[in-house]
């Protein structure tokens, strides 16, 4: 937090928070919980990428509590995380979501999130996580942490597919899922991206690999070791 941060009566710096969630009942409940805790203050609520970015610019929060699903017509919370941190680099994003799959966890962390909890977390866990990320720590819920460790030590994670160095890490992920037989909609769900973003990544992949079709890109991917279960 900033050295010029406001302080509560006890002398501790006040943690300024924005809550981003498209479900009004959960958003209001989260705001009420956090606002009732000493040293924490909810400055704004948001339900979309645009409103989250606007709130981050206006309020300059220390912590942004972010859901990953912001509605079927909205970009994902992963993209919102990336945009919020672009306009407010000093913020710490704490994801609180229903999504507990490995792809969602790692997509959020790669976007810059410092914490990841499931919506079943207790009020005490949420409070601890908010204070931890505000202090610069990285925190994962117990179930998420155990799966993350397993994923990090797996052979799949250890293979960076450097046979295709012209691709970015995100393009490697997209191409890997294409080679596994997933369509664009399934890929968008796995990586918590919009279908349009997946199409853009695939177009870039075809251009970089000089592949004339999706099928040709799959062949190149498998030659590089991608798409293996």
């Amino acid at each position: 937090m900033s050295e010029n941060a406001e302080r509560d009566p006890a002398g501790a710096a006040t943690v300024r928070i924005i809550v981003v969630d498209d479900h009004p009942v959960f958003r209001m409940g989260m705001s009420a919980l956090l606002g009732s805790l000493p040293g924490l203050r909810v400055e704004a609520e948001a339900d979309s990428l645009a409103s989250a970015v606007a709130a981050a610019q206006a309020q300059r929060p220390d912590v942004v509590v972010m859901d990953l699903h912001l509605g079927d017509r909205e970009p994902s919370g992963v993209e919102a995380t990336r945009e919020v941190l672009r306009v407010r680099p000093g913020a710490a994003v704490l994801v609180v979501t229903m999504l507990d799959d490995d792809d969602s966890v790692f997509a959020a962390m790669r976007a810059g999130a410092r914490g990841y909890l499931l919506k079943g977390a207790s009020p005490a866990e949420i409070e601890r996580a908010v204070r931890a990320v505000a202090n610069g720590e990285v925190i994962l819920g117990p179930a998420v942490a155990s799966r993350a460790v397993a994923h990090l030590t797996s052979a799949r994670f250890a293979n960076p597919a450097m046979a295709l160095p012209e691709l970015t890490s995100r393009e490697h992920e997209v191409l890997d899922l294409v080679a596994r037989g997933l369509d664009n909609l399934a890929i968008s769900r796995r990586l918590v991206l919009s279908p349009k973003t997946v199409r853009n990544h695939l177009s870039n992949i075809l251009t970089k690999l000089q592949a004339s079709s999706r099928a040709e890109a799959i062949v190149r991917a498998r030659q590089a070791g991608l798409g293996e279960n």
Side-chain angles (χ1 to χ4, degrees), residues 70-222:
L70 299 179
D72 294 335
R73 297 186 179 181
E74 276 290 321
S76 74
V78 170
E79 293 174 81
T81 293
R82 192 174 293 113
E83 286 301 303
V84 163
L85 294 177
R86 181 181 62 81
V87 300
R88 175 59 175 151
V93 174
L94 171 65
V95 171
V96 182
T97 184
M98 293 292 292
L99 301 175
D100 64 350
D101 59 284
D102 294 342
D103 292 317
S104 296
V105 174
F106 288 103
M109 302 306 282
R110 280 190 294 269
R114 290 189 194 167
Y116 199 108
L117 296 181
L118 300 181
K119 284 190 174 179
S122 69
E125 289 174 321
I126 293 171
E127 177 184 3
R128 183 166 61 250
V130 167
R131 296 189 191 278
V133 298
N135 287 328
E137 301 173 38
V138 174
I139 188 164
L140 302 176
V144 173
S146 62
R147 292 173 60 186
V149 170
H151 189 89
L152 286 168
T153 56
S154 70
R156 176 186 171 191
F157 187 86
N159 178 12
M162 291 310 294
L164 300 173
E166 63 267 53
L167 302 185
T168 66
S169 59
R170 174 62 86 192
E171 288 164 354
H172 273 124
E173 291 174 320
V174 171
L175 183 56
D176 177 61
L177 295 177
V178 168
R180 290 169 186 267
L182 276 68
D183 60 22
N184 288 5
L185 182 58
I187 293 171
S188 72
R189 290 171 176 167
R190 286 284 294 273
L191 297 183
V192 200
L193 298 171
S194 69
K196 180 180 178 181
T197 299
V198 172
R199 290 195 300 272
N200 290 340
H201 281 310
L202 186 55
S203 176
N204 290 337
I205 290 167
L206 293 177
T207 298
K208 289 181 178 181
L209 297 183
Q210 297 183 339
S212 61
S213 66
R214 190 186 189 99
E216 185 177 344
I218 290 173
V219 171
R220 291 285 302 279
R222 290 177 176 168

